[in-house]
């Protein structure tokens, strides 16, 4: 029975898309890592709680197939701010978040990082 569960999770991992714009924050990558950890021995892995494993699988399938999005359709594809899904994806991209983080830095901090070879954290030690 563990072999069947393992194959189902592998199939789900294959189908789950990976978003290249969300490096190190992508749900597809995280899912693959967790499946690799949970099934270290592959099909021979002993599952301590099969019911929980099955519930987790079914929940992931519902997320992957947009079950609730289809069950409860929305009138508009925007949120309360009026931002579209495409705009949200662009804003949440890792590169954009990095740029926003850099913009938050103060002028003195930017100058210190630019002119000092070591990081400001090392100065306080």
């Amino acid at each position: 029975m563990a072999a069947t569960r393992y194959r189902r999770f592998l199939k789900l991992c294959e189908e789950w898309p990976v978003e290249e714009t969300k490096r190190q924050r992508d749900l597809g990558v995280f899912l693959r890592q967790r499946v690799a950890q949970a099934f270290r021995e592959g099909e021979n892995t002993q599952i301590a709680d099969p019911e929980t494993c099955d519930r987790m699988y079914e929940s992931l399938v519902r997320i992957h197939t947009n079950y609730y999005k289809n069950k409860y359709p929305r009138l508009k594809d925007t949120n309360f701010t009026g931002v579209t899904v495409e705009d949200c994806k662009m804003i949440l991209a890792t590169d954009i978040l990095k740029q926003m983080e850099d913009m938050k830095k103060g002028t003195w901090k930017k100058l210190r990082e630019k002119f000092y070879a070591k990081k400001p954290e090392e100065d306080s030690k």
Side-chain angles (χ1 to χ4, degrees), residues 1-13 35 38-39 42-58 60-61:
M1 203 58 184
T4 304
R5 286 185 179 91
Y6 176 65
R7 282 189 229 111
R8 288 187 343 185
F9 272 101
L10 282 182
K11 186 174 184 317
L12 181 63
C13 286
V35 168
F39 293 96
E43 294 182 352
N44 298 326
T45 302
Q46 296 299 316
I47 299 173
D49 191 359
E51 291 80 23
T52 302
C53 181
D54 291 341
R55 281 197 316 261
M56 287 172 27
Y57 173 78
E58 294 301 326
L60 289 169
V61 166

Side-chain angles (χ1 to χ4, degrees), residues 52-108:
T52 302
C53 181
D54 291 341
R55 281 197 316 261
M56 287 172 27
Y57 173 78
E58 294 301 326
S59 295
L60 289 169
V61 166
R62 283 193 297 271
I63 292 170
H64 176 62
T65 59
N66 292 323
Y67 174 80
Y68 291 106
K69 179 182 177 186
N70 297 331
K71 185 174 180 180
Y72 304 106
R74 299 175 60 152
L75 300 176
K76 297 180 181 179
D77 285 335
T78 61
N79 58 23
F80 71 97
T81 62
V83 178
T84 63
V85 174
E86 292 78 26
D87 292 339
C88 285
K89 286 182 180 180
M90 183 192 71
I91 291 168
L92 292 174
T94 302
D95 296 337
I96 300 296
L97 290 176
K98 176 73 174 139
Q99 289 175 1
M100 290 173 64
E101 190 65 35
D102 289 343
M103 288 175 20
K104 287 182 186 177
K105 293 180 182 176
T107 305
W108 289 112

